Amino acid sequence: MSIQDNINALHDKLDHGNCLLVAVSKTKPEEDIMEAYDMGHRDFGENKVQELVQKFGTLPKDIKWHMIGHLQRNKVKAIAPFVHLIHAVDSLKLLKEINKQGEKNNRSISCLLQVHIAEEQTKFGFSENELHQLLASQEISNLNSVNITGLMGMATNSTNDSLVRSEFRKLHSFFNECKKYENSNIHFTELSTGMSSDYHIATDEGSTIVRLGSVIFGERN
Ligand SMILES: *Cc1c(COP(=O)(O)O)cnc(C)c1O
């Protein structure tokens, strides 16, 4: 199967649920991205700022670049002029820095707040309680150059489908709860869940964006 075949097959599955496919192109060469681009695909995801900036520099300017990985505050500046959506905002400090860089670039930067839903200790993200506090705070409503469009989560890396399903389901119900915080810069419309190993479960459980790498481009080295 070619990259184009893989994307076509996924579009068929995902359009059904109105789910956006972000093609995760990290570590993959520009030729691979152009194969997908040439068939009309425009949403690509990277998890490292340096690689994202480099690919932005050389690839067509109408690509929508998603920053899907953990983001350090001192690197926000480099992606602020062009990034389409930052998926993994995991602290108020980071959100404030994104706001500052959005202001400098005269744009509002769309962000998702990452929620910690997995059993693993290593995954980043807010707890539900932390997010209730943050979303209700005056501080967040003053950040006029960010647009919080929803949540992102990564399930436990496990072959136990029912565990993964229960984590996505819980996040979806929390997502729905968060809709009450609707504000000028808070609009809960997007739920970014699902990677190659678990997207079939994520789309059952309310995902509006899936981030898929290996099922499109093949295994990474
Ligand atoms: C790499 C990555 C993905 C895609 O992983 P695959 O298993 O290749 O689909 C999704 N989300 C994040 C945050 C990633 O870093």
Side-chain angles (χ1 to χ4, degrees):
M1 292 274 275
S2 70
I3 289 170
Q4 298 196 343
D5 290 338
N6 293 337
I7 288 188
N8 273 329
L10 286 164
H11 276 157
D12 285 348
K13 285 190 207 170
L14 297 170
D15 280 347
H16 230 58
N18 269 326
C19 197
L20 175 71
L21 172 59
V22 173
V24 176
S25 48
K26 63 191 188 195
T27 77
K28 297 294 177 182
E30 294 177 358
E31 301 88 79
D32 285 11
I33 297 176
M34 285 311 293
E35 248 190 75
Y37 181 88
D38 286 339
M39 63 184 294
H41 195 81
R42 291 295 180 270
D43 290 88
F44 293 90
E46 292 284 336
N47 72 337
K48 297 235 156 60
V49 166
Q50 200 184 354
E51 191 173 350
L52 177 55
V53 168
Q54 196 250 318
K55 284 174 172 167
F56 167 74
T58 50
L59 288 163
K61 288 295 174 284
D62 61 342
I63 287 180
K64 296 173 182 167
W65 289 107
H66 296 248
M67 175 60 199
I68 62 171
H70 181 65
L71 178 59
Q72 287 172 297
R73 267 185 291 155
N74 62 0
K75 299 200 171 152
V76 174
K77 198 180 184 152
I79 60 171
F82 68 89
V83 69
H84 178 68
L85 178 63
I86 298 176
H87 285 237
V89 176
D90 61 357
S91 73
L92 176 58
K93 278 185 170 175
L94 176 59
L95 197 61
K96 283 182 172 169
E97 176 63 19
I98 296 168
N99 185 65
K100 182 173 147 196
Q101 297 301 331
E103 238 164 58
K104 282 194 182 164
N105 286 278
N106 267 313
R107 62 187 296 246
S108 158
I109 301 178
S110 294
C111 296
L112 304 177
L113 301 172
Q114 183 172 6
V115 190
H116 181 100
I117 58 170
E119 282 182 344
E120 292 109 331
Q121 292 293 318
T122 52
K123 295 207 168 137
F124 296 102
F126 293 99
S127 69
E128 292 188 9
N129 275 338
E130 286 169 338
L131 275 184
H132 277 303
Q133 280 184 23
L134 178 64
L135 290 165
S137 71
Q138 185 59 41
E139 215 161 11
I140 203 167
S141 61
N142 292 336
L143 303 177
N144 296 312
S145 300
V146 294
N147 187 18
I148 295 164
T149 57
L151 300 176
M152 180 268 205
M154 291 167 83
T156 302
N157 185 4
S158 163
T159 52
N160 180 349
D161 280 4
S162 64
L163 173 66
V164 171
R165 186 176 295 279
S166 71
E167 290 170 354
F168 284 149
R169 185 168 292 177
K170 190 157 175 277
L171 181 60
H172 186 216
S173 110
F174 178 63
F175 170 78
N176 285 331
E177 227 180 285
C178 287
K179 289 180 177 165
K180 69 180 178 210
Y181 296 112
E182 184 82 17
N183 206 330
S184 59
N185 63 346
I186 305 177
H187 309 280
F188 272 77
T189 55
E190 305 302 335
L191 182 58
S192 171
T193 49
M195 306 173 38
S196 293
S197 59
D198 57 22
Y199 75 93
H200 55 289
I201 303 174
T203 52
D204 276 353
E205 303 296 341
S207 176
T208 69
I209 306 178
V210 291
R211 310 174 309 270
L212 305 184
S214 42
V215 281
I216 296 173
F217 298 110
E219 292 299 323
R220 289 177 295 275
N221 296 327

